[in-house]
Amino acid sequence: MSLIARISSLSQRDRITTVGLTLTGIWLLLLFLFWLLVPAGDGGRGGIAPLITTAGIILPPALVWLGVSLARQLAILRAEAEDLRRRLGQMHDAPPP
């Protein structure tokens, strides 16, 4: 991979990470607001409710970071494909031996 492709890949990673951090921060803010504004219940929670609550808290940030990871890999693959196209063009334009 050429130096320019690596630099563009790294700059894309920084933007992707910023988006992931922003979305995670928004989710945590919404959870905090929900916790503050929801009236207190009867306290008799049992059964599957704690599992569903835990899944509702953990899964959205996990999906956001899965998307961040996939976007990073996609940026790397695009940079590598661009580099390969450039090299193939150079090979095609080179005189035969």
Side-chain angles (χ1 to χ4, degrees):
M1 181 184 305
S2 70
L3 181 61
I4 295 172
R6 286 179 191 252
I7 292 171
S8 69
S9 171
L10 289 175
S11 68
Q12 182 72 18
R13 280 188 194 179
D14 292 337
R15 282 183 273 170
I16 293 169
T17 302
T18 303
V19 169
L21 288 172
T22 303
L23 290 175
T24 302
I26 290 170
W27 177 249
L28 292 176
L29 177 69
L30 289 173
L31 281 177
F32 181 71
L33 287 174
F34 182 76
W35 179 70
L36 281 178
L37 300 175
V38 171
D42 59 0
R45 292 179 38 180
I48 199 164
L51 178 64
I52 292 173
T53 302
T54 304
I57 292 170
I58 293 173
L59 282 180
L63 290 174
V64 165
W65 287 102
L66 177 67
V68 167
S69 174
L70 290 173
R72 283 180 183 166
Q73 294 302 316
L74 183 61
I76 291 170
L77 286 174
R78 283 183 178 167
E80 287 179 358
E82 184 179 327
D83 187 46
L84 286 173
R85 282 189 198 106
R86 183 184 55 79
R87 288 184 188 197
L88 185 60
Q90 288 174 351
M91 289 172 52
H92 182 35
D93 294 339

